[in-house]
Amino acid sequence: EYTLQPQVGETIHAPKIYKETGKLNFNESCVSLHNKVRGLYPFPGTYFDYNGKNFKVHLSQYEICHHHN
């Protein structure tokens, strides 16, 4: 069971989210990309550019594979 606790001290606000926040960088890990897609849906959403075209990403999933040599 949890007891609600009032916030103590100065109020802290989250940073403002801009459209550019949703641009995907494929150098990031798959977990990081997946969390960005989940966290920024539906606004501002996530996207990437490829061959001069803009692609919106609405859903993602990933799979961890263990390869044995």
Side-chain angles (χ1 to χ4, degrees):
E1 201 170 307
Y2 297 98
T3 304
L4 297 177
Q5 299 287 328
Q7 182 173 339
V8 178
E10 185 179 342
T11 302
I12 300 171
H13 297 279
K16 186 170 175 123
I17 298 175
Y18 298 95
K19 179 182 176 192
E20 296 77 27
T21 306
K23 186 169 186 178
L24 297 175
N25 175 354
F26 291 107
N27 292 316
E28 295 179 28
S29 71
C30 62
V31 174
S32 177
L33 292 170
H34 175 70
N35 287 335
K36 184 176 271 192
V37 171
R38 290 185 321 131
L40 295 177
Y41 182 83
F43 180 80
T46 51
Y47 67 95
F48 64 93
D49 297 320
Y50 181 72
N51 284 340
K53 294 184 180 178
N54 185 270
F55 294 87
K56 292 185 178 185
V57 180
H58 302 283
L59 181 66
S60 73
Q61 66 182 50
Y62 68 94
E63 181 175 339
I64 302 292
C65 297
H66 299 284
H67 298 282
H68 302 284
N69 292 333

